[in-house]
Amino acid sequence: MQPHLKRVIILLVIALIAFIFIRSLIVPDSFGQYGWYRGESVIDNRNLQVGYAGSSSCGEENCHKTIYSIWVGSRHKAVNCEICHGPSNDHVNNVRIMPEPANESREYCGLCHFERAARPANFPQIDPETHGENLRCAYCHNPHKPWFV
Ligand code: HEC
Ligand code: HEC
Ligand code: HEC
């Protein structure tokens, strides 16, 4: 064999051994246990804390049935309770744990409702400079049935 070919082959073999060695150091043990991913990630994900309970759990018997029935008939039914009230699974499991108060600022409603050229024209939008006299939106609109208090 030509000597320069030998050198290339030796270099390739060294690179291959280095690759296998480094790979064995950095690939987690449980990789490939179930498939092309880290097997332990299944346990990690199972142990993640549940934050959101879902709107229907707010509307159960002895809970916020009235608010729920108003909301579910309003155009805000696309906006789940926990979008405004924050993750409330702990509150559902233990009513003594209160969720964070809902953000009542104009800017918060404005995340969805301030006029933006990119929004579909038929989406309800307002100009914050002229609409609502700089009062809290909930002063006039019921957030659970925005049309109207
Ligand atoms: C668009 C945002 C938004 C959504 C969606 C929303 N809320 Fe509210 N909620 C508010 C705000 C803001 C207040 C404070 C209202 C005020 O100051 O008049 C409030 C107040 C409340 C209160 C305390 C005051 C009261 O009227 O008794 C409860 C309980 C409540 N919401 C439950 C719910 C439930 C249950 C849902 C889903 C069915 C829901 N909310 C959906 C924004 C929202
Ligand atoms: C996460 C986005 C989001 C937030 C935050 C939000 N809204 Fe809405 N709002 C919507 C959607 C979606 C609709 C329904 C639009 C449709 O049906 O085309 C809507 C509809 C409305 C309407 C029109 C209702 C009607 O019957 O015509 C008003 C008024 C309104 N929202 C006020 C508010 C107020 C006040 C707040 C703050 C307390 C708020 N929104 C927060 C998404 C949002
Ligand atoms: C002083 C009372 C008042 C306040 C405060 C107020 N609104 Fe309104 N809003 C109204 C009235 C009245 C209408 C219906 C007439 C109109 O379109 O101007 C309305 C209409 C709307 C509509 C429907 C527009 C459409 O074209 O369908 C949206 C969305 C809305 N408001 C969002 C908000 C948001 C977001 C805030 C807070 C930043 C807010 N409003 C504050 C009184 C108020």
Side-chain angles (χ1 to χ4, degrees):
M1 193 187 285
Q2 304 284 350
H4 65 280
L5 273 183
K6 246 190 219 161
R7 258 178 264 139
V8 169
I9 289 173
I10 289 171
L11 278 178
L12 278 177
V13 169
I14 291 174
L16 189 68
I17 291 172
F19 172 76
I20 293 172
F21 177 68
I22 294 172
R23 188 182 182 279
S24 75
L25 288 186
I26 59 177
V27 172
D29 289 341
S30 66
F31 185 85
Q33 189 180 353
Y34 305 115
W36 194 248
Y37 59 93
R38 197 168 53 87
E40 273 165 11
S41 67
V42 175
I43 302 167
D44 291 353
N45 283 333
R46 196 180 57 206
N47 290 340
L48 284 179
Q49 272 219 290
V50 176
Y52 293 89
S55 297
S56 53
S57 60
C58 313
E60 277 170 18
E61 206 60 53
N62 300 326
C63 300
H64 307 288
K65 237 183 138 183
T66 313
I67 292 181
Y68 183 86
S69 62
I70 291 171
W71 166 83
V72 85
S74 82
R75 281 174 76 184
H76 259 182
K77 66 177 181 295
V79 189
N80 284 307
C81 313
E82 289 164 295
I83 292 180
C84 299
H85 287 282
S88 304
N89 192 53
D90 289 347
H91 170 68
V92 169
N93 291 329
N94 177 358
V95 287
R96 281 176 221 281
I97 303 174
M98 292 305 281
E100 298 278 310
N103 187 337
E104 292 186 48
S105 67
R106 288 171 63 86
E107 284 65 32
Y108 186 71
C109 305
L111 288 176
C112 296
H113 289 296
F114 287 170
E115 251 167 15
R116 300 277 180 270
R119 295 203 161 127
N122 59 358
F123 187 83
Q125 300 167 55
I126 50 124
D127 175 359
E129 300 298 326
T130 55
H131 185 91
E133 302 160 26
N134 232 7
L135 293 161
R136 275 187 326 126
C137 313
Y139 183 83
C140 297
H141 299 277
N142 178 347
H144 307 133
K145 187 186 200 307
W147 211 253
F148 247 139
V149 192

